[in-house]
Every structure is written in structure tokens, then in C-alpha cells.
Amino acid sequence: MATDDMWIWDGGRLCLDFTNTLRHRWRPTPGETLRNPGDLARWLQKAGLLAPGAPAPADAAVLASGRRLRETVDRAVLAVADGRLPSSGDVTLLNRAAAEAPRPALQIAVTDGRLEPAGTTSTATDPAAALALIAQDAVDLLLSAEIRRVRVCGAEMCALRFLDRSPAHNRRWCSMSRCGNRTKVRLHQARARRSEHTPAD
């Protein structure tokens, strides 16, 4: 069973956080955090996609569908971020999955004595519909200018995906407090070791 601290929420988009549930993609056997249907339900609840009291999935089919969607999103996002088109199979799967999402509920607010739209809320009553909301977010990202800001963490032992919203568009790490600082410490230690072994003039 995955625990909440196994999941990282630094992607900047729901669909990227979902792709990051498969960790250490550079390894021959990546680290799976969605090991069973209960893990998937907990992730969807923590992401705010499941309505309160929604039932947890009871079979492996939803889990397999979620993992398939996750890898489809990952391939499509990385392709388009790199200036390429996603495969026709990935486009078809994303479109089908997104079409299953519940219709967002329009909300209203009273502002200065008049009614105004207050945005929409999208939660699902079951995990399959929650996965469709992730597909919708991926479709939205693929069609937006932000797709060019998708990055893969520069730490050699990470590879998490994230959206670079830094002012200069030069963010290198999924998280400065995690990968950025660790990399800087490692590089500093390597320089210190080299200088210790460099003979003085």
C-alpha cells in the first residue's frame, strides 16, 4: 500500500502529478506507487477528484485503466512538449477517456449585489469517472501554450515531470527543496573532493 508521502504534488498540473505516480522511470523496474485499487482511490481522493463518500474501486480493471491512461498521458505530453505529435492511438485513448468525464457543475456567487459565475467544480462519484477528469486535464494541457513549459527534472536520479512556471522559464528541478538542493550538495561535495586531490603549485 502506498502512503500519502509517496506521492509528489510538484507537477503543476493534475495530469502531471498523475504521471508522477510512477517513480524512477529511468530504472529497469520503475517504482509503482499505485500498487492496488485502494492506492488509486486514495490518490484520487487526495487529488480532490472523488466526491466525499465515493466508493473505492473493488476490482483491478479500474487500476489497469488508470495505469494505461497514466502512460498515455506521459507519452503524449512529452511528445508535444518536444514539438512532435502524439501517436494516433494515444490521441484516441485520451479522447475516449476525456469523454467519460462528468459535466462540470457551474457555480454562482453574489458579488456587489449581483450574481456572477464563480467557476466550476468537477468531482466524480466513482474512480473511473475521476480518471476521465485527469484525461480532460491532459487534453487541455496538450492544447495550451503551457505544453512548451513541461520539463523533466534535471536530477539524474529523479525524472519527475513538471510545468515550469518560473518567470525566466529556466526551472530545472521538480522541487528545489528536494532535487535541487540534493544536486547542489552533491556537486559541491564532488568539487571539494577534487580540490583535495589537486596538487598545489
Side-chain angles (χ1 to χ4, degrees), residues 33-49:
T33 68
L34 304 179
R35 297 183 184 108
N36 58 58
D39 288 339
L40 176 60
R42 280 184 287 281
W43 189 92
L44 294 170
Q45 287 166 345
K46 186 128 175 110
L49 295 176

Side-chain angles (χ1 to χ4, degrees), residues 44-176:
L44 294 170
Q45 287 166 345
K46 186 128 175 110
L49 295 176
L50 278 178
D59 61 50
V62 174
L63 177 62
S65 177
R67 288 176 177 172
R68 189 166 46 253
L69 174 64
R70 177 184 65 192
E71 298 315 297
T72 300
V73 169
D74 191 56
R75 285 190 304 269
V77 164
L78 292 183
V80 178
D82 193 41
R84 297 176 286 115
L85 289 174
S87 74
S88 60
D90 286 347
V91 169
T92 298
L93 192 148
L94 283 172
N95 283 336
R96 284 183 183 158
E100 297 298 317
R103 185 174 179 181
L106 184 63
Q107 304 288 296
I108 59 174
V110 176
T111 306
D112 296 327
R114 65 178 187 273
L115 288 177
E116 292 185 343
T120 59
T121 60
S122 290
T123 56
T125 56
D126 66 81
L131 290 174
L133 295 172
I134 296 171
Q136 279 191 340
D137 184 62
V139 168
D140 182 65
L141 175 59
L142 289 165
L143 295 173
S144 76
E146 281 194 321
I147 190 63
R148 300 291 184 194
R149 297 186 188 182
V150 172
R151 307 281 185 266
V152 176
C153 183
E156 62 184 40
M157 305 298 245
C158 181
L160 291 179
R161 284 69 162 124
F162 66 91
L163 193 60
D164 178 8
R165 289 191 173 121
S166 65
H169 310 307
N170 61 354
R171 182 175 154 197
R172 295 180 58 196
W173 323 111
C174 63
S175 166
M176 191 63 204

